[in-house]
């Protein structure tokens, strides 16, 4: 695997983990924000952390799309194991 693909793999895994973490963090902090709404500084701090996390997640998504686009434009083949390691593919498909 080339260095480029290794970096793309890392970015794709970080994007996947970051997305899951961001969703969980927002689902957990929203009820907490409702309880602490009188505490303005804490609300601003939590909002700032969520905003910066969202910005970082957006940057990871951009880097992932850019890496995939550059690889495709150069005609490189993305190894299947990189794509399979990021996708959550069930081992067996359910029978209909």
């Amino acid at each position: 695997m080339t260095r480029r693909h290794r970096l793309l793999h890392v970015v794709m895994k970080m994007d996947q983990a970051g997305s899951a973490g961001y969703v969980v963090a927002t689902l957990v902090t929203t009820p907490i924000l409702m309880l602490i709404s009188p505490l303005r500084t804490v609300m601003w701090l939590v909002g700032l952390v969520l905003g910066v996390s969202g910005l970082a997640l957006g940057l990871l998504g951009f880097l992932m799309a850019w890496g995939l686009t550059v690889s495709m434009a150069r005609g490189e083949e993305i190894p299947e194991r990189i794509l399979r390691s990021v996708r959550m593919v069930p081992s067996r498909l359910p029978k209909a």
Side-chain angles (χ1 to χ4, degrees):
M1 180 181 343
T2 65
R3 181 180 190 278
R4 216 177 349 252
H5 289 167
R6 209 170 320 151
L7 183 60
L8 180 61
H9 176 69
V10 169
V11 168
M12 290 173 76
K13 288 298 260 187
M14 287 175 62
D15 184 61
Q16 181 184 26
S19 296
Y22 189 75
V23 168
V24 168
T26 53
L27 289 175
V28 168
T29 56
T30 302
I32 293 171
L33 283 178
M34 295 301 290
L35 295 173
I36 63 169
S37 61
L39 303 173
R40 284 286 219 210
T41 44
V42 175
M43 271 184 60
W44 274 100
L45 181 63
V46 170
L48 183 66
V49 168
L50 287 176
V52 169
S53 300
L55 186 63
L57 189 57
L59 180 63
L60 280 172
F62 173 77
L63 288 173
M64 180 180 63
W66 179 72
L68 288 171
T69 303
V70 168
S71 294
M72 289 176 64
R74 290 181 179 162
E76 296 176 354
E77 180 85 19
I78 304 293
E80 184 66 25
R81 69 182 176 85
I82 289 178
L83 296 175
R84 282 195 183 274
S85 70
V86 176
R87 291 184 298 195
M88 293 187 189
V89 180
S91 58
R92 289 187 215 152
L93 294 175
K95 295 183 180 182

